[in-house]
Amino acid sequence: MEELKFRGRKREGRHRDTWDPFQLNPIGAEKEEKRRCFELFQHLVAGFVGIMVLSSAVISKGSLLVLSTLSSPTSTRTPKERQYYVLMLVCSLVVPNLLVFLKSLWKCAFKNFVPPNMRTMGIVCGIECLVSLGTSILVLVVMPQFDVLTNLFISGGVCMLSSVLQIAFRLQRENWKIIFPICSLMLVLTGYFLLGADYYVRVSSFVSGQEDDCYWYVGIAVFASFLVSLTWWENPVQASNNMQEMLTELDTFRDFVFVISSILRIVVIAAVYLIYHVLIQENIVWSDFDFTPKADDDENTIARHRETLDIGLIVLFLQAFFSAACHWFGVVACKIHSVRMSFAFPVCFTGPAVLILGMILFLTQSEDLAGADTTSIIDFCSSLVELSTKNTSTVVMLEITKSICRTSLSSYYWTWPFSLLALEGICMWLGLITCTYYVWNFRVQRIERTTELFVRRLYESAFIDLSLLLNTKMKVVRTRNQESSVVDDVENCVIYLCATMWHETYDEMLKILTSMFRLDRYRGEPKEEHKDVFDFECHIFVDDAFMIEKETGKKFVNEYVTDLIHVVIEVYRVFTNKEPDDVSIIETPYGGRLMFVMPEGNMLYFHLKDKQLIRNKKRWSQIMYLYYLLGWKGYIVKNPQKITRQNNPCRASLISLDGESFLLPQHDNDSKRKHISDDNTYIMALDGDTDFHPAALILLVDRLRKYGNVGAACGRIHPTGMGPMVWYQKFEYAVGHWLQKTAEHVFGSVLCSPGCFSLFRGSALMDDNVLKRYTTTATRASEYVQYDQGEDRWLCTLLLQQGWRVEYNAASDAYTNSPQEFKEFYNQRRRWGPSTLANTLDLLHSGNETVKRNSSISRLYIFYQIFTVSSSILGPASVSLMIAGAFQFVFKIEGTLSIIIAVIPPIFYMFICFLAKPNAQIIIAAIMSVLYAFLMLASFFAIIGDMAMQGTFITPTGLFLVSMAVMYLVTAILHPQEFSMIIYGLMYFICIPSGYLLLTIYSLVNMHIVTWGTRETNKEKEEKMTQNVLCDRNCKLCCWDMKLQVTQETDNLLLQQLQQVVNPNTQVTEQVVKEQQANSKKEINNAPNGENNKGILSKSSDSKLAKRDSDSKSDTSDDSVDSIPKKESAYSSIEDDNEDDDNMLYDGSLYSGFTEEEREILPQSDWVQPVKEEFLKKLTYANMKRNLQEQIRYSLRNKNQEDVCEELVMMLTDTVNGELKDKVGPEDVLSDSQLEELQYALNEAARRILKTNRMERLERRVKRAIEKTLIAPQVEKLTEEEHDFWKKLLERYLAPIVDDKAHKEEVTRELKSLRNKAVFLYFIVNVLWIVATFFLQAIGNDVISIKIEKVWPNGTSSGEYLKVEPLSLMFLLSFAVLLVVQFLAMLYHRVYTLIHVVSYRSTEKDYIPRDEEDEEGLILENQIANGLVITSDDL
């Protein structure tokens, strides 16, 4: 309700100024705000991850303590059982090393392999062997000798080396924090002292089970703990400048080092086990590992052996699985920016949690031990000895309780020494906390690699909590000059949003411009820092932007540009409630350019392409903006030019952006690019109808910013529209993104980043054999198919072949219009199908070379692509066989006959495609698609009915259908925001013959047609256009043909002559009449209404524009010299008030853009004036009042001066009314003299109001707002350097292609020849597949078949057998395996997408506007205004 009232108040305000207050409000134009549901979801995810970290760490640590207790020599287990539990301990140490070995081996084999430096590898492997030796001794030798509480506490001492290195390297950013590692070292040493004292008291007080040799084990425990602490030697070293060269070198071949070191660690673990237990203790009997029942074993023995096996395997599984789970969830907790609550807190309190849980179990379960005496702790511990021979108690609980009784609690003399053990635990725990204090302030970027979070990939399963804390990377970096600094700050980047337009509709243009203005609002002013650290520009490249008037031959913008201008004005009004402020019109060698400053100060450019001057279509537009943004702008940054005196020193030299003036607005981001590398320069490729939100773009930026080898990233494309064709595409796009693109991302690299929404890295596009190769003009048939029919896929192929990776982000959503008509859909896929196949085959052909260059592409991935390509090639045959099966199910036709019937329609349609025209082919395909849909629907229900009749779905067909349905349902559930796509699944199913059979035939047979096929127009190349024709009559009489045409210009001239006759005292001189006659011939001052004549920009009021021109000329015709001092006096009056003010930095005419002399020097094209006059509507009386009000409010929006702001708005509005109300109409455009007088009056009124309120500091902002309100669109000129660049670029790469007739005929012949070869190949392969299936059917299932037992749903056998052809079963299984692989990849991708989304939401921009203080920054004045020339050196 509040939103309705708010819109109503805005509409009422507009209604006071105009009779047309109504406006469009595109979806998504409302201000962004954080969604509460996402915040709640973020906290739920963080809470779940924290609970998982804590619970998995407790289970991992507890299970290791259980194994060490069960393997203790003092346990009540038999020697055979104890040696089995020792073996489980060995396995628990081996498992993490084995996992790291497999992962590293995979990367070395299928990713990249770098030969290691033998010296560095030797050092690292030596350290790893020492670590493995310490871990093995501590776990296999020492811990079984101690009680469970000592084992829990003693592990805290493994942080001693980290504390020593932190003290030695002085890694603290603040000197006082060195107290933390010092305290840690002291606490650990105190803990070891208390450990020795505790065991001395135990031996002295004759605690049962304590021998004199325990002192040796205490010493060995200290030594082993020191060796274990070597595990994390890299962490303090990498945080200092010591050994940086070796660590940097190590990162290049770390995977190979892990392969070798993992093997060595396993060998050391086995060696310690064998040496201690076989050679020293001699307690291993190899035959005892045989737990198979023997003939002389009784039932109790067999049951006890089974119990021992179960306990050992279950505890081993819990320890291994939850150690890995704890490590993984710990990584996730850091990546979702919940370091304190979900990582540091759970991991730090794992030890206390295990202790509390153990004590609770001890106190609550001790009474349940059958036969235990609970009168006192001493009697209780004594009674446990008798329970060792009974099986009435839980083994694990009994052994843990007995281990606790080995402490001083069971002493006959005193129990106070138990406090020594408690103090030991406290000291060890506090030592760990103080050593890892930096974890609590751990800084994490939005998206982090695991290698940037943790120093080493390997985790220590025996000490999982300590391993996570000590392995967390210290990000406190000290430079060589001993000054601390942080190196993980996010680097700034520049994003160029480049949209290509080709005959878009008004609504489609509205989508892309709304998206760009949303991004402008999200980014804010360019001078402000942003949490996402980026700057951007928007560029829209309009193909076929001009039209030619038939009669005069003059060039004007066409209806698409007219719509685009109307849309940008409408969107500007929606976002700001005012007209565009700064508009520039520039003639260029390729056509024209319109330049806008968006509401927050970011730049928007329209590049209008004339197809007679530059090549049209999407690929050439991409080459155009890539060379312009990466080539030219990168060049001028590396070679700064001095700013020379220009012929038109107007607003082109400077642009005022809310308190700061930037030199040359088109080079604003160029100046920032001086400090930004090509790696951080991004190109966002868009279509003219793409709709996206800022979050979608930022998620893609995160991928490129974090992973240097990613050359491109794409998002999830959602087709929009209505109708059956759109429904089919919705599910098709969903399945393609859910399964296919995720599989490509996980197993290798995405093959196609669609041009409608993809982010490219500048350095990747500038790489060898990418952009230069992309400019190749197609001359051969295969090049026409690969290069021009799917340019985005070819560009990605070039990137992949050069070693770059292409990624997919499922959370980056973009919406684009999809074909709604059957014909448009078929024509679109006619381009995509052959292009996809050609690029994939090109990539597979260069597979060996690509595998060497690209670390993301392995031979296994090449095999995966070969399999998918083979499946797609066999698609028509597979669909035909599926249709044959449908005939069998529905009409009960035998197999061979059904195959013959099924292949007749495809063959018939193939002949139709060869003989008929494309339109007829599509009509026949549509009819056949409907018939096939009915058949597929009948088949669907027939299969269900057959399963009901059979009484089971466990048949090949039934299993396949059910599993497919379940898999798609689960996939849809895992995409909750897209779950509704599952509704269109049935539509997709019944359209399979059309999409995979008829469409394939149509695409192949029409491969020789290389036209675009979509958004085509039937209009003539030259369109007739009339301008403000008041009377247009053709008179034919006998042999006389007479044309009578009266235009607005001749009508105005006639009226002025009549006025001169009626009133001789008027000041319209003959000279003025002549000037107007000349202007009527040279310029197009008036345009027809847009609704009646869409070929040219409309003009709201011809009379008022003519009046404005006459007023302007009458002012300058009397004495042109006198008019200039008036402007200078206006300037001087302002500059007297504030000499540093940058409001009036423009020489010449402030409002019209040029002086009269400059207009003679710079002749304008015919299209410029109508475009300019469309933007001059902002200077009408009605629009000006609204613009002024909004400009004042916007300039003072964060100054906490609402009262002053509203008073200014009211008083300045009254000033406008007083100056203009009785002089001009609400739709009249003000003349230059009226604008000058109005500006002077407004400045004086604003000065008085601010002085009265003692707010003089705001005067500069208010004057700037007034200036922006009154400034007119500027007609500018390119610099000579840029003009020369465009001329050379057109000449070298983008000149219009003019093919002679002979060449066209030759290309057509080649294309038809290529078409015939492709059709023949497809036909032969599919025919062979169908023929093989046919003969297997003809031979009969009794001869060649695979028998599958029929099973009822409850799992019982029916005694019957189903006979399946081996070929069909093989293909079915292969397809099923492919789907399962894609499904698993989707699960993996979903998890990491969730992590990325949660991390983004936790660092999302705060949409609450912050207060700003006036920043008196550097103001660059105009070189003409003060006589100084500002060079790049001065800047």
Side-chain angles (χ1 to χ4, degrees), residues 331-348:
V331 174
V332 172
C334 295
K335 288 187 175 183
I336 65 174
H337 294 249
S338 184
V339 177
R340 291 188 179 182
M341 296 306 299
S342 300
F343 178 74
F345 180 80
V347 175
C348 287

Side-chain angles (χ1 to χ4, degrees), residues 17 51 102 117 276 472 699 788 852 947 1084 1350 1368:
D17 301 326
I51 292 172
L102 294 176
N117 181 295
Y276 180 74
T472 305
L699 289 172
D788 294 330
K852 294 177 183 178
M947 287 190 293
I1084 307 300
K1350 182 178 177 181
S1368 300

Side-chain angles (χ1 to χ4, degrees), residues 882-891 932-946 957 961 989-990:
M882 184 175 65
I883 295 169
F887 281 122
Q888 284 183 284
F889 274 112
V890 178
F891 303 108
Y932 273 132
F934 282 117
L935 178 63
M936 293 299 295
L937 191 61
S939 173
F940 176 74
F941 288 109
I943 292 173
I944 296 176
D946 181 69
T957 306
L961 184 65
F989 176 77
I990 65 176

Side-chain angles (χ1 to χ4, degrees), residues 317-461:
F317 171 78
L318 292 176
Q319 208 284 327
F321 177 80
F322 283 99
S323 296
C326 182
H327 177 262
W328 188 81
F329 278 109
V331 174
V332 172
C334 295
K335 288 187 175 183
I336 65 174
H337 294 249
S338 184
V339 177
R340 291 188 179 182
M341 296 306 299
S342 300
F343 178 74
F345 180 80
V347 175
C348 287
F349 285 88
T350 296
V354 172
L355 177 62
I356 294 172
L357 181 62
M359 296 308 295
I360 291 175
L361 291 175
F362 174 74
L363 296 175
T364 57
Q365 300 296 321
S366 59
E367 297 181 359
D368 297 335
L369 294 175
D373 186 358
T374 58
T375 55
S376 67
I377 185 66
I378 298 176
D379 295 334
F380 173 77
C381 293
S382 300
S383 63
L384 293 179
V385 179
E386 302 175 1
L387 299 178
S388 60
T389 58
K390 301 179 181 179
N391 291 323
T392 56
S393 303
T394 305
V395 173
V396 175
M397 195 63 224
L398 176 65
E399 294 299 336
I400 291 178
T401 306
K402 191 173 184 302
S403 180
I404 293 176
C405 288
R406 293 175 59 197
T407 64
S408 299
L409 288 174
S410 61
S411 174
Y412 288 93
Y413 297 97
W414 54 73
T415 58
W416 66 264
F418 183 74
S419 60
L420 295 176
L421 184 60
L423 287 175
E424 176 205 345
I426 294 174
C427 289
M428 291 295 190
W429 181 69
L430 291 177
L432 174 66
I433 298 301
T434 52
C435 178
T436 57
Y437 71 95
Y438 56 87
V439 175
W440 294 85
N441 296 318
F442 189 54
R443 287 185 58 187
V444 182
Q445 296 180 17
R446 176 175 296 157
I447 178 173
E448 286 274 21
R449 288 182 172 182
T450 305
T451 54
E452 295 173 351
L453 297 173
F454 299 97
V455 177
R456 49 192 283 120
R457 186 179 304 146
L458 181 66
Y459 63 92
E460 299 295 332
S461 60

Side-chain angles (χ1 to χ4, degrees), residues 554 1049 1053 1071-1085 1113:
K554 294 181 179 179
E1049 289 80 2
L1053 185 60
Q1071 180 183 356
V1072 175
V1073 174
K1074 290 182 179 179
E1075 289 180 0
Q1076 291 181 349
Q1077 289 175 342
N1079 289 334
S1080 66
K1081 295 178 181 178
K1082 292 181 180 179
E1083 297 183 357
I1084 307 300
N1085 291 326
K1113 289 189 172 80

Side-chain angles (χ1 to χ4, degrees), residues 818-1092:
S818 59
Q820 302 185 44
E821 301 296 333
F822 191 84
K823 175 183 176 181
E824 190 178 6
F825 172 74
Y826 260 52
N827 282 328
Q828 182 194 66
R829 299 311 169 90
R830 184 254 300 159
R831 289 188 293 110
W832 288 4
S835 172
T836 299
L837 183 62
N839 280 282
T840 306
L841 292 177
D842 183 19
L843 186 66
L844 296 178
H845 178 71
S846 61
N848 291 332
E849 192 66 27
T850 304
V851 168
K852 294 177 183 178
R853 288 190 175 188
N854 199 321
S855 60
S856 299
I857 296 180
S858 62
R859 298 188 184 278
L860 194 62
Y861 181 69
I862 293 293
F863 175 77
Y864 167 80
Q865 288 298 331
I866 291 174
F867 184 78
T868 56
V869 169
S870 302
S871 300
S872 65
I873 292 176
L874 291 174
S878 303
V879 174
S880 298
L881 293 175
M882 184 175 65
I883 295 169
F887 281 122
Q888 284 183 284
F889 274 112
V890 178
F891 303 108
K892 305 302 180 183
I893 303 174
E894 63 180 46
T896 54
L897 183 59
S898 65
I899 293 177
I900 295 174
I901 297 174
V903 299
I904 292 176
I907 295 175
F908 166 76
Y909 183 66
M910 184 173 66
F911 281 110
I912 290 295
C913 290
F914 273 105
L915 300 175
K917 293 184 178 180
N919 287 340
Q921 300 172 28
I922 292 175
I923 293 173
I924 295 174
I927 296 172
M928 295 179 66
S929 297
V930 173
L931 297 177
Y932 273 132
F934 282 117
L935 178 63
M936 293 299 295
L937 191 61
S939 173
F940 176 74
F941 288 109
I943 292 173
I944 296 176
D946 181 69
M947 287 190 293
M949 292 175 60
Q950 294 282 349
T952 180
F953 63 88
I954 307 179
T955 63
T957 306
L959 279 176
F960 184 75
L961 184 65
V962 172
S963 60
M964 284 279 290
V966 172
M967 188 186 70
Y968 283 135
L969 182 62
V970 173
T971 304
I973 293 173
L974 294 176
H975 297 77
Q977 292 181 313
E978 306 172 37
F979 182 78
S980 60
M981 297 296 106
I982 201 71
I983 300 173
Y984 308 113
L986 182 59
M987 181 72 186
Y988 179 80
F989 176 77
I990 65 176
C991 290
I992 285 177
S994 178
Y996 291 89
L997 179 61
L998 301 180
L999 181 57
T1000 302
I1001 296 173
Y1002 176 79
S1003 301
L1004 287 172
V1005 177
N1006 292 279
M1007 188 189 296
H1008 63 288
I1009 302 176
V1010 292
T1011 58
W1012 204 248
T1014 55
R1015 300 186 187 274
E1016 297 290 350
T1017 177
N1018 294 324
K1019 296 183 179 180
E1020 298 179 1
K1021 293 183 179 180
E1022 294 182 351
E1023 301 182 24
K1024 182 177 179 180
M1025 183 184 65
T1026 57
Q1027 290 188 325
N1028 295 336
V1029 178
L1030 302 180
C1031 178
D1032 190 4
R1033 295 289 185 268
N1034 291 323
C1035 299
K1036 294 184 178 181
L1037 182 60
C1038 299
C1039 61
W1040 294 92
D1041 289 342
M1042 182 175 65
K1043 181 177 178 63
L1044 176 64
Q1045 187 179 79
V1046 180
T1047 63
Q1048 182 69 55
E1049 289 80 2
T1050 56
D1051 182 65
N1052 289 340
L1053 185 60
L1054 182 60
L1055 289 176
Q1056 291 169 0
Q1057 291 173 345
L1058 290 175
Q1059 183 181 6
Q1060 181 71 14
V1061 173
V1062 174
N1063 186 4
N1065 295 324
T1066 55
Q1067 297 180 0
V1068 181
T1069 64
E1070 183 180 355
Q1071 180 183 356
V1072 175
V1073 174
K1074 290 182 179 179
E1075 289 180 0
Q1076 291 181 349
Q1077 289 175 342
N1079 289 334
S1080 66
K1081 295 178 181 178
K1082 292 181 180 179
E1083 297 183 357
I1084 307 300
N1085 291 326
N1086 302 299
N1089 188 278
E1091 297 178 357
N1092 300 326

Side-chain angles (χ1 to χ4, degrees), residues 126-188:
I127 295 175
E128 293 295 327
C129 290
L130 292 177
V131 170
S132 182
L133 177 65
T135 305
S136 304
I137 291 175
L138 190 61
V139 175
L140 301 179
V141 177
V142 176
M143 290 181 66
Q145 305 296 327
F146 291 161
D147 60 89
V148 65
L149 294 180
T150 302
N151 289 335
L152 175 63
F153 299 150
I154 198 174
S155 60
V158 299
C159 64
M160 66 174 79
L161 181 63
S162 179
S163 301
V164 171
L165 293 178
Q166 288 185 51
I167 297 171
F169 293 148
R170 300 182 64 84
L171 299 178
Q172 297 72 31
R173 297 187 65 189
E174 292 144 1
N175 291 332
W176 67 270
K177 287 187 178 180
I178 197 174
I179 194 173
F180 286 106
I182 293 176
C183 289
S184 174
L185 185 60
M186 295 176 62
L187 287 168
V188 169

